[in-house]
Amino acid sequence: MAAPQDRDVQPEDLSASHELIRLRGVRTHNLKDVDVDIPKRRLVAVTGVSGSGKSSLAFATLAAESRRQLYATMPAFVRTKLPHDRQPEATSLSGLTTVIVVDQRPLGSNSRSTVGTATEVWTMLRMLYSRLGEPSAGYSPAYSFNDPSGMCEDCAGLGEVTDIDGEAMIDRDRSLNEGAMVFPSFAVDTWIWKRYVYSGFFDNDLPLREWPEELVQFLLHGQTQRPPNPLPRFPKSARYQAMVPRIRRLLVEREAKPGPAVRQALREVTAQRPCQACGGSRLNAAARASLVHGVSIVELGHRDASGVLDFCAAITHPWAQPLVEQLRLRLESMITLGLGHLHCYRSTPTLSGGESQRLKLVRHLGSSLTDLTYVLDEPTDGLHPGDVASLIEVLRRLRGHGNTVLVVDHHTAVINAADHVIDLGPGAGEEGGQVVFQGPVERLRKADTITARALRNGVRLKAEPRRPTGWLALRGLSRHTLKNIDLDIPTEVLTVITGVAGSGKSTLAQEILDQYPRFTLIDQTHILATSRSTVGTWLSIADHVQQAFAEVSGQSAKLFNPRSAGGCPHCRGTGVRRTDLAFLEDVDTPCEHCGATGFRPEALRPTLHGRTVLDVLRTPLSGLAEFVSHPTVARLSARLTALGLGHLSCGRPLDTLSGGERQRLKLARHIDDTNSDLVIDEPTAGLHINDIIPLNGLVDELIDSGRTIIVVEHSLHVVANADWIVDLGPGAGDQGGRILFTGTPHELAGADTPTGRHLRDALRS
């Protein structure tokens, strides 16, 4: 039975100046016809367990409708170039303002995108060096590694070059007709293969080992040219291009988008190394030689934010002061947001989701726009408790500029700092989707919701830490920020590595992985979710469902796969038909041919224990083992239920899951795939406090079975459950990389370190 909505804030309770964003009858995803009033120009926290409907309310409803209406005001031609948001399911949405979404999507997958380019710090430095640099390299593009006038010619501004092992792409014991070109793109009878066998250069039936060596090298590295005597089937306008140059053009320089098999093969025949010409700096000699106060732009590019700030303090030229002031504002914002350890050359694809999100905020802090609504997706991810206070000040600064700040987050400090809280639940999935509380945080603490109880319970230390069975020695660790540290890691216990962002935690974890291959890493890589991938396909248990129906029906298992022979041909197994309306949003309508099931009629005739395959795919994972008798299904169903994911169904599309649900799903699968010791990087990302409890239980279960688990984590609930703590710091980047503390959580609570002080405060609350 859902808890009733606590209507602490009604329109009549607010003064005339407190305008409202009113959401009525919202039914997006699992939301159950909810009504929400969001006070404008306030810091509003949206809370609730993972999967309760927070993102459906904040992003799929409020943000999507605001963006959709804004785009509708633009010319039709412009609308064709913009994202198309579907109209949310709701009775009415009013009082909307322009929304700025600051989510956790990566800033860019392009290796040319760096911290410096994303924050425009590099742009300002280029401008500075174009005016003050001696000797000058030219205008500001001459200092850009993304412009031909500034990039290193050898690596095209990438800082590294790709070596291709041509010998690994051929089998000298075969002829061309027998598949001597073993790289997948050159498979027999493909169009690329025909470019070689019909070129007239080679004996296609002679094994490569019998060719003259210069001819083999011509196959691999020869000059591009028009064949003088091609066979009749060689295209008249085509040119011969050797294997290595072709792979470099099509795959390394990304003119084509390879599939999984080709990507794996490419990894096996290529290797990256720093460009020798520019030393990895990406810039040409003229840009590298230009100095301001004896410092090159390359050196500045490798300094952290504090280091660049020190450089700015020495710039006294009157004309440069406005530029330096803007530069200083960006750098100070990075430090405030816990990103002071980053440098301009850091590639954005290597940033975590939390780092990417906070980096996006850097550009908004200097904005003079007002009456906007900022919607943030768990900005505390990856932040040490000490950095969260700085983030909250940034959120308050945005609010102070006259903006509404809506934060989807689980962190206690963010909830306590909010002016207004919207708590969703009471559970996840079908058990959620209701507003169980709405009002100020003072009243939330007294409410009867999962979030309220978690706030009241606070952090509790484990009564008795486990005793190690042995120790793993690590000596002289000096990679990246680590300062020649010596360390012993206990075995068959839970060790938590903590410290401020950028203090060296991930580097230490990588050293453990490198020196002790018995460990397997479970990192923060996001599950690749598409509308055609489901919980069952990703966990590889949908195959067992299909096989179970195949056995009882005598039909092929493919008949019970909507993405294969069993799929409706009209909607291709999706259950919906999408209509492209050009500049309007795409419209999805239930497929009338299959009744929105996604299946052919013949796939739904056989039954298993009285249920069709559609019924079983819609069955919650907690009850799936009743229909499908298989050890993997039973094991994963039990584990996912213990992690609070029993409400998910096998046929649930992955792109409808929350971040916390995906995180636990990934943990369950990877833990099931291996029996090795584990290094887990921030497993609580996206998790409600209440969801951390079963996660701690799973970790305890694994350790009791004899495993050693090392967790990189900031959550004090995980820290308090540890047997051993390694605390790094004291700061980020060059200010970190030292061991501040090793010992039990009880001992950490009495230590004078940033983590120790925050743990001590949490235990008192």
Side-chain angles (χ1 to χ4, degrees), residues 414-557:
V414 174
I415 299 173
N416 286 331
D419 304 309
H420 189 78
V421 179
I422 300 169
D423 195 19
L424 295 172
E430 288 303 313
E431 298 176 3
Q434 301 177 61
V435 177
V436 294
F437 175 88
Q438 192 175 183
V441 69
E442 292 78 12
R443 292 184 59 86
L444 173 64
R445 296 192 188 98
K446 302 174 185 177
D448 186 24
T449 73
I450 291 176
T451 301
R453 290 193 292 272
L455 288 175
R456 290 195 296 268
N457 291 337
V459 177
R460 298 290 181 268
L461 290 172
K462 178 186 290 184
E464 188 64 36
R466 299 178 184 85
R467 294 185 179 276
T469 60
W471 298 85
L472 307 176
L474 299 161
R475 298 291 180 264
L477 305 183
S478 300
R479 184 187 299 190
H480 300 326
T481 58
L482 299 181
K483 305 292 194 298
N484 194 32
I485 65 175
D486 297 334
L487 182 64
D488 293 310
I489 298 290
T491 57
E492 294 190 31
V493 300
L494 171 60
T495 297
V496 174
I497 302 173
T498 189
V500 299
S503 58
K505 301 183 300 299
S506 296
T507 303
L508 175 57
Q510 189 59 53
E511 288 280 11
I512 296 170
L513 291 164
D514 291 346
Q515 296 194 30
Y516 292 94
R518 63 194 252 193
F519 284 91
T520 298
L521 173 67
I522 301 179
D523 60 18
Q524 295 184 64
T525 305
H526 293 294
I527 294 176
L528 180 60
T530 69
S531 59
R532 298 187 66 82
S533 55
T534 67
V535 170
T537 57
W538 197 79
L539 290 173
S540 300
I541 58 177
D543 295 341
H544 301 303
V545 174
Q546 295 153 19
Q547 188 58 41
F549 274 88
E551 291 173 0
V552 299
S553 67
Q555 302 288 332
S556 168

Side-chain angles (χ1 to χ4, degrees), residues 188-203:
V188 173
D189 286 334
T190 60
W191 70 270
I192 293 181
W193 174 81
K194 294 174 183 178
R195 292 291 196 271
Y196 296 87
V197 297
Y198 299 145
S199 67
F201 287 124
F202 313 111
D203 184 335

Side-chain angles (χ1 to χ4, degrees), residues 162-170 181-187 191-193 196 219-222 224 241-258 261-263 265-272:
T162 301
D163 292 329
I164 302 175
D165 183 0
E167 195 65 32
M169 296 195 298
I170 60 174
M181 297 182 290
V182 296
F183 193 85
S185 300
F186 299 85
W191 70 270
I192 293 181
W193 174 81
Y196 296 87
L219 172 70
L220 294 174
H221 306 285
T224 301
Q241 187 173 41
M243 292 180 68
V244 170
R246 187 183 292 275
I247 287 294
R248 187 177 299 280
R249 175 175 63 84
L250 291 179
L251 301 179
V252 176
E253 296 175 358
R254 296 293 192 273
E255 286 190 14
K257 294 182 178 180
V262 175
R263 287 199 300 270
L266 189 64
R267 284 192 289 268
E268 294 173 358
V269 302
T270 59
Q272 278 72 39

Side-chain angles (χ1 to χ4, degrees), residues 34 72 114 155 157 180 304 308 374 474 485 566 579 599 648 659 733 741:
V34 303
T114 68
C155 65
D304 61 18
V308 181
Y374 286 89
L474 299 161
I485 65 175
T579 304
F599 281 98
L648 298 182
F741 170 87

